[in-house]
Structure formats: C-alpha cells, structure tokens
Amino acid sequence: MPAKDLETIVSLAKRRGFVFPAAEIYGGFANTYDYGPLGVELKRNIREAWWKSMVRDRDDVVGIDAALITNPRVWVASGHVSNFNDPLVDCKKCQMRWRLDHIEEGQYGEVKRNAAGDVTCPNDGGELTEPRQFNMMFKTQVGTVADEASIAYLPPETAQGIFPNFENVVASMRRKLPFGIAQSRVSFRNEITPGKFIFRTLEFEQMEMEYFCQPPADRNNPVEYLALHQEWINTRLAWYRDTIGIDASRLRIRDHEKAELSHYSAGTADVEYLFPWGWGELEGIAARTDFDLTAHGNASGHPLTYFDEDTKQHVVPWVIEPAAGLTRTLAVAMLEAYNEELDEKGETRVVLKFKPAIAPIKVAVLPLSKNEALRPAARRVYEMVRSTYMAQYDETQSIGRRYRRQDEIGTPLCITVDFQTVGEDGTPGDDAVTIRERDSQVQVRVPISGLLEALRDRLPGC
Ligand code: GAP
C-alpha cells in the first residue's frame, strides 16, 4: 500500500529528518529543498545501487565526474542555448505563471478550456497570454568583468559532461564498442512552476549513462540499434522494480509520440510511476543516434570518432541514453515504501518498507531500558554492528515507542539487549540478543558471537 497522498510523505520527510524545505527560517525558497540526516543516507544508497548496477556489476561501463561549470560552447553545440526552452504563459486575471505544456498534460488537474477551445488558467479559469519561450538554464559569470564573454551556465543535465570526454575515455580506458560512460551529480533548471515537493526542483540530482554502440548498417532502418534500445528499457524498468522495490502495477513504459521527438531521435521511452496525482516520468531512455558526438565534433573542430580495428575505419558511434532522476526516485522510494498497518499490540503503526539496500539505517541497537546494567553490553553490540552497517543506538523512551520510531524511518532490523543477555540476580546472562524484523515483527534470539552472520543473512545487498 503506497502513501495515498504526497502530503503524508512531505510531513513524514520533515518530521523524521529526510527532506526539509530549504531556508525555512527565511520563509523557504521556491522549488528548493534540503536533505536531512536520513535523506542524505537514502540518496547515497539509491545512487550507490544505481552505480553498482550500471558500473560496478558491468564490464562495459565506466564512470566519470566532469566539471559542473565548463566551456559555454558545450551548451551551444548541444542545442541547449537555443532550444532548452519552456513555453510560459501568464494568467491575465490572477497573474500566475504556468508552463503551457504542463497545463495541457493535465499536471495541474483537469484541463479547462474556454468557449474558443483554448486552455485556461488552472487556478481561476482566466484567459492566458500567448506562450513565450523561456530558456531554463541558469547563467553565471566567470571572471571579474560581466560581459557576454564571461557568461557560463550551470548544467541542466549531466549528459553534456560526458560527450566532450568521449575520446579521453576511449584512449585512457582502451574501450571497445559497445561501452558506456556513467555520471551522477547535480543539475540545475530554472523551473518556475510549483514543483510538487522534490518531484520538480531548481536543483536536483541525475543518474545518466551514455551507451555508445556501432552505427547501424542502415540509418533509415536501424533494427539492431532499436533492439539495443529495447534492451536498455527492459533493464531500467527491472531496476526500479527489483532494486528500488516499486510494485510493477505502479510502473509503466510510455513511448514518446513522433511529435514529441527531436528531429535526430530514433525514439524515446519513459519509465513512469503512478504518483498520487497520476502517471509521471522517472527516467527517459533516449535513442539519440549520433547527434551529440557529431554536434560536439563539428562545433569544436575536433571530430569525435571511434577507430574500428576490424573495418579500419573511423565511425561516429550511436548512443542510447538512460537518464534517471535521483531525487525524484527518492520521492518515489518513500511514497512506495509507506505503509500503515497494525503492530504487535493491534495499534496502527507507520512503516517504511524500504529494501534493506536503500534503507538509511540498517540496524538499530536498543537496550531494553536505560538501566545501567544493560549499557556496557548494548554499547559493545552497537560498536560491533556499526563497523559493518549504518546503525543507530537509542535508549530513550519505551521499547515499543523506539520500535515505532525505527519502523517509521524504515530500519529493517532492531536488536534488543535485555536482562537475559547480561544476567540478573546472580543468574548468568546468555550473551544473546533479540533481532526484531521490521516487516514481519517476528523476534528471534541470536548469540552475540553469531550476530554479524545473522545480520548478513537478513540484510541482502547491504
Ligand atoms: N539528458 C537527458 C535528460 O536530462 P530529462 O528527461 O530532462 O532528460 C532526466 O531528465 C530525469 O531527470 C527525469 O526523468 C527526471 O527524473 C529528472 N528531472 C528532470 N528535471 C527535474 C527537476 N526539475 N527536478 C527533479 N528531477 C528532474
């Protein structure tokens, strides 16, 4: 059962230290959020899971971390300076500003039209101005003189840090086609419309990969290229289901209509999630042909080609680009993990059923009470566990409340140290602890000597 509405997650995220509105003490800042102690762990774990599946577990993909602020000619060649525009409209009545494409997609609820059939303001049904094209890149200035020559851009995607390094990677890593270059980092877009929490923000993180392959035998009928595109669509869909733990019924693939595609594109498919407000994009998997390498080769005067040892010819590789949103996936991981159900006492508990590999805290060590007699053993267990797993130690409040707190942040396992562990009234302790599983709430007794092994069995992929 995922969260029924976004507000539930927004409130939990703030209350439990996942995501805070940015600069809240100054009244916040539109479409901008800060990641708290648990949010930062969750984000790292999702990125790590992506990196593992895209880079570490594969022989054909390597990573890169390109500069954020780079030569502005990169953004001219990529087409962002002239084309990375959104159509903006203003309501003549309430003066609110909107993205016309988002209104038409129904992102603000039911699409309303006037008698002439034109869409109207989602807020008050007012007439809208003609759309104006608005470039979404943030400009900045490099150097001390503010003139045209000093303009640089904050990157609106990670991909354009990859293409200019194509030749460097081929040469330094001795890559043969097909191979990929992956990158995960922050991107910036001047998003002007209300963003639905971290679904759409000014500053967000992406996980992108450019997979370079041989050009197809027939560019007008690129059968082998489209088959590779389909393979990546299947791989990426499976990642959201199996690694992030999203129920298959709330995932789908949406192929872009011809009209949505750029002139160079051989196809794009989005992985979409069923958000509380409807289907929305999680990742785009684009078949970008040889557009980017050709564009950067032409603009720089430095052709970006690959020398094919078999045919003894230089070719411009074609590329498949799976482009995912890290921070958007984090929102979905929270929505999807959210459950309300009955606890051991028949009371309602909130539990985030994260897959162990992405859970921010893997293990909580909880002495049964604050009693001094329990502390040395509990601290010893905590030190042992934290050497391997992200762990928390908590001895405040009743054990029931501490279980609830760990359930609500999605900790898969709690370990309780009690008087049976340390012994009482002359009875020797058994040097064992209780492991409580978050989802089943089942408790099992395990000797401390075998604890790490028991945790390993219960924390796959951690
Ligand atoms: N290089 C291709 C590219 O950037 P995109 O569809 O614009 O493609 C990829 O972005 C992913 O990045 C999206 O599917 C989404 O998950 C995420 N994303 C894009 N804009 C975002 C924003 N303003 N806030 C949060 N995530 C965003």
Side-chain angles (χ1 to χ4, degrees):
M1 178 187 72
K4 59 183 184 316
D5 53 38
L6 191 61
E7 289 66 37
T8 306
I9 292 303
V10 175
S11 144
L12 188 153
K14 184 174 170 201
R15 193 171 68 250
R16 291 298 185 207
F18 285 87
V19 183
F20 308 127
E24 203 179 9
I25 58 168
Y26 291 101
F29 196 59
N31 299 338
T32 308
Y33 289 86
D34 296 336
Y35 289 80
L38 296 189
V40 87
E41 292 297 332
L42 179 57
K43 184 142 62 88
R44 283 168 65 108
N45 293 344
I46 296 173
R47 192 201 316 278
E48 187 55 29
W50 179 83
W51 195 263
K52 182 173 178 327
S53 81
M54 298 297 266
V55 181
R56 283 218 314 272
D57 287 353
R58 301 185 64 106
D59 292 328
D60 56 351
V61 181
V62 292
I64 193 175
D65 192 5
L68 287 171
I69 297 177
T70 190
N71 192 319
R73 289 174 62 203
V74 167
W75 301 108
V76 176
S78 67
H80 284 81
V81 169
S82 47
N83 297 328
F84 197 57
N85 298 327
D86 275 339
L88 295 191
V89 288
D90 294 310
C91 173
K92 292 182 180 172
K93 209 158 129 196
C94 69
Q95 263 73 54
M96 277 185 77
R97 182 161 290 171
W98 307 93
R99 267 179 64 172
L100 182 60
D101 53 336
H102 285 176
I103 301 180
E104 287 170 340
E105 284 164 15
Q107 289 202 20
Y108 309 111
E110 193 196 338
V111 185
K112 298 187 192 111
R113 294 180 184 276
N114 59 20
D118 299 325
V119 289
T120 56
C121 174
N123 180 41
D124 61 3
E127 192 187 339
L128 299 170
T129 58
E130 283 298 309
R132 283 174 300 110
Q133 293 303 324
F134 169 78
N135 193 287
M136 293 178 71
M137 280 198 295
F138 284 106
K139 281 183 188 167
T140 187
Q141 173 205 323
V142 176
T144 52
V145 183
D147 59 11
E148 277 297 302
S150 69
I151 290 175
Y153 300 93
L154 301 191
E157 61 170 29
T158 80
Q160 301 304 328
I162 295 177
F163 295 115
N165 278 299
F166 173 77
E167 196 178 76
N168 287 333
V169 173
V170 172
S172 60
M173 305 306 289
R174 295 185 297 133
R175 288 288 124 181
K176 287 204 178 329
L177 293 179
F179 75 91
I181 306 178
Q183 175 164 242
S184 174
R185 65 174 198 197
V186 67
S187 293
F188 304 85
R189 293 184 191 177
N190 197 353
E191 302 278 5
I192 57 96
T193 54
K196 296 196 179 83
F197 189 42
I198 53 171
F199 178 79
R200 190 179 306 286
T201 46
L202 298 186
E203 186 182 323
F204 55 99
E205 290 186 55
Q206 290 185 305
M207 307 178 290
E208 296 196 287
M209 199 266 284
E210 305 301 328
Y211 196 74
F212 301 97
C213 59
Q214 286 284 358
D218 179 356
R219 49 175 321 122
N220 297 317
N221 186 21
V223 201
E224 61 279 45
Y225 177 64
L226 293 178
L228 187 61
H229 185 217
Q230 187 57 50
E231 262 180 49
W232 274 110
I233 295 169
N234 299 345
T235 302
R236 295 302 304 144
L237 183 67
W239 184 79
Y240 288 101
R241 191 190 57 220
D242 302 337
T243 306
I244 302 302
I246 303 176
D247 193 278
S249 66
R250 285 180 289 280
L251 281 173
R252 75 173 186 191
I253 295 294
R254 185 183 74 82
D255 287 315
H256 282 211
E257 307 278 337
K258 274 249 160 354
E260 286 178 82
L261 297 175
S262 320
H263 65 279
Y264 54 79
S265 174
T268 294
D270 288 346
V271 178
E272 292 192 335
Y273 176 72
L274 186 54
F275 288 90
W277 59 86
W279 291 99
E281 179 187 335
L282 268 179
E283 169 162 349
I285 302 148
R288 298 181 62 89
T289 65
D290 54 0
F291 172 78
D292 302 271
L293 288 181
T294 306
H296 287 296
N298 290 342
S300 64
H302 187 111
L304 293 174
T305 56
Y306 170 88
F307 183 68
D308 188 332
E309 295 287 353
D310 298 333
T311 61
K312 305 287 178 215
Q313 283 189 337
H314 285 274
V315 295
V316 180
W318 282 34
V319 74
I320 312 278
E321 177 191 76
L326 169 56
T327 37
R328 197 174 282 184
T329 302
L330 185 149
V332 169
M334 291 193 72
L335 281 163
E336 190 65 18
Y338 187 90
N339 275 268
E340 281 177 30
E341 58 186 32
L342 297 183
D343 67 8
E344 302 98 328
K345 291 186 181 158
E347 289 167 7
T348 302
R349 70 166 184 160
V350 169
V351 51
L352 290 184
K353 294 190 174 177
F354 288 130
K355 289 262 191 191
I358 65 165
I361 308 290
K362 313 295 182 200
V363 183
V365 178
L366 315 173
L368 188 66
S369 71
K370 263 186 165 168
N371 192 303
E372 289 290 336
L374 298 175
R375 195 169 290 144
R379 292 298 305 187
R380 179 163 56 93
V381 168
Y382 175 55
E383 293 304 332
M384 186 174 97
V385 170
R386 81 194 300 200
S387 65
T388 308
Y389 299 106
M390 187 71 192
Q392 234 180 37
Y393 181 86
D394 186 3
E395 58 180 23
T396 57
Q397 298 186 311
S398 74
I399 188 74
R401 290 185 82 144
R402 281 179 280 156
Y403 282 154
R404 288 301 81 78
R405 206 154 52 216
Q406 294 299 332
D407 287 345
E408 212 180 6
I409 63 172
T411 306
L413 301 173
C414 289
I415 298 173
T416 314
V417 175
D418 56 18
F419 290 101
Q420 204 181 325
T421 314
V422 298
E424 198 179 16
D425 300 332
T427 317
D430 63 1
D431 224 24
V433 290
T434 302
I435 298 181
R436 172 193 180 265
E437 292 180 356
R438 176 195 66 199
D439 297 352
S440 65
Q441 301 176 69
V442 164
Q443 304 196 6
V444 287
R445 196 92 187 147
V446 175
I448 294 176
S449 57
L451 182 59
L452 283 181
E453 206 181 328
L455 296 181
R456 206 164 31 244
D457 293 345
R458 289 170 173 78
L459 295 171
C462 297

